[in-house]
Amino acid sequence: MGCHFDLTLVVDEAEIAQVLMDGAIAEMQRIEYLLSEWMPDTPVSIVNAHAGLQPVKVPEELVQLTARALNFSKLTGGAFDITMAGLNQIWTYDGTMTRIPSAAELKAAIRHIGYQHIQLDHSNQTLFLTQKKMKIGFGSIGKAYAADCAKAFLQEQGVQAGIVNASGDMAVWGLQPNGQPWTVGIVNPLNKTKVFATFPLVNGAVVTSGTYEKYALIGDKKYSHIIDPRTGIPSTEIASVTVFAPMAELANGISTSIVVMGIEAGLHFVNQIPTARCVIVDNQANVFTSNNIKTNTI
């Protein structure tokens, strides 16, 4: 999935832990083969190849994941959209960009973006992108979903506590061997060597969406890799969003959406979700929190 996974398990024997880890890795690889848009034979790649041509029968798991993504798009007014893969063609993050794409370029790119153009047929178990050149991609929630699936697998195997960390998308359950909750730290996005707050977490997920590591520097302004699918313009206001929720998939969808929506709208949005909390850091290192959250500042 293009990211690093760390597994932490609380079990009695190292040999058992290794077998369990191998099983969890196999489960995450299964998700990769379901969702990858880079491997040509995955269901997502086949759907993309048939955009504008015909519906494609896909696994029920992909139908359900797409349905949840579409629902999230509606809730966020399009701030979250799995069809925005086409924007990767006009924004690059390898240091070669020297100008902002023109209005004409942005207009041409977003012409093929819009969750409204996804047709999902539950009864026939098919997925259809109605316009040619459309693409779907699950980069915004795929690794978080894989973390959730690995956690579920390990719990089914009887593991009482652990952490699945998918490059910052963490699914957590149980207690540490000393009986204490796991401690999650939030890194200062303007100084990655510093942790400015910690939180106890027993069962749930925490995800951070940051704009401070992957961006295009044009002039003296940073344009992040998190792009508003409605305009084609990257976010510039927020440095990081950390979201706590029952599932990593949900937390990742919320965190990505908040970066696009901005601080005021993002806080209003997350405050409508009883099971979610968030911490936002803007590009001036100002900290904003949603309702019902307490930080242990350092």
Side-chain angles (χ1 to χ4, degrees):
M1 296 185 188
C3 67
H4 186 77
F5 282 76
D6 291 304
L7 298 173
T8 302
L9 309 183
V10 179
V11 295
D12 292 331
E13 298 180 20
E15 292 81 2
I16 295 175
Q18 187 59 60
V19 172
L20 291 167
M21 285 187 178
D22 289 344
I25 290 168
E27 174 65 0
M28 291 185 288
Q29 288 175 330
R30 184 186 69 80
I31 301 303
E32 182 176 29
Y33 292 128
L34 177 72
L35 301 181
S36 174
E37 61 196 270
W38 309 110
M39 301 176 185
D41 296 327
T42 67
V44 167
S45 291
I46 294 171
V47 168
N48 288 340
H50 288 81
L53 299 175
Q54 64 183 51
V56 175
K57 189 172 180 64
V58 297
E60 177 63 21
E61 186 175 11
L62 182 56
V63 170
Q64 295 302 324
L65 185 61
T66 303
R68 294 195 298 273
L70 291 175
N71 184 57
F72 214 75
S73 294
K74 296 171 186 175
L75 289 174
T76 61
F80 179 90
D81 196 327
I82 59 172
T83 70
M84 60 174 294
L87 289 173
N88 296 330
Q89 299 173 1
I90 62 170
W91 288 96
T92 58
Y93 301 95
D94 57 3
T96 60
M97 285 197 74
T98 58
R99 65 173 183 86
I100 300 172
S102 67
E105 289 171 325
L106 291 171
K107 183 178 180 179
I110 64 175
R111 189 184 328 165
H112 306 294
I113 292 170
Y115 68 93
Q116 304 91 336
H117 304 302
I118 297 176
Q119 290 185 0
L120 193 60
D121 187 330
H122 288 267
S123 59
N124 292 314
Q125 206 172 305
T126 61
L127 183 54
F128 180 40
L129 309 182
T130 61
Q131 296 185 7
K132 290 185 177 180
K133 297 186 178 180
M134 277 188 69
K135 290 183 178 180
I136 56 171
F138 288 87
S140 54
I141 55 173
K143 62 189 177 79
Y145 177 63
D148 286 334
C149 290
K151 171 185 172 180
F153 166 81
L154 291 165
Q155 289 180 309
E156 289 168 1
Q157 300 303 308
V159 179
Q160 297 300 308
I163 301 173
V164 181
N165 183 356
S167 293
D169 295 3
M170 292 192 288
V172 177
W173 73 104
L175 299 171
Q176 298 184 61
N178 62 8
Q180 297 298 310
W182 301 102
T183 300
V184 176
I186 298 180
V187 173
N188 182 341
L190 304 184
N191 184 353
K192 292 181 286 185
T193 65
K194 301 288 186 179
V195 173
F196 73 82
T198 61
F199 299 82
L201 190 61
V202 175
N203 189 28
V206 56
V207 167
T208 296
S209 290
T211 64
Y212 51 91
E213 289 188 331
K214 188 176 180 181
Y215 55 85
L217 183 62
I218 303 174
D220 59 353
K221 195 169 186 179
K222 295 178 180 179
Y223 293 85
S224 80
H225 71 288
I226 300 178
I227 303 172
D228 188 336
R230 301 163 298 189
T231 65
I233 302 291
S235 168
T236 58
E237 179 185 18
I238 292 174
S240 74
V241 178
T242 299
V243 173
F244 297 83
M247 305 290 286
E249 177 194 329
L250 174 62
N252 204 345
I254 294 172
S255 64
T256 301
S257 299
I258 290 175
V259 173
V260 171
M261 298 167 81
I263 296 168
E264 183 177 356
L267 287 174
H268 177 74
F269 172 65
V270 77
N271 284 333
Q272 311 310 306
I273 305 173
T275 58
R277 302 167 291 154
C278 79
V279 177
I280 302 172
V281 183
D282 71 9
N283 283 320
Q284 304 301 316
N286 299 305
V287 179
F288 306 84
T289 60
S290 63
N291 298 338
N292 302 320
I293 191 169
K294 294 182 179 179
T295 64
N296 298 319
T297 55
I298 296 176

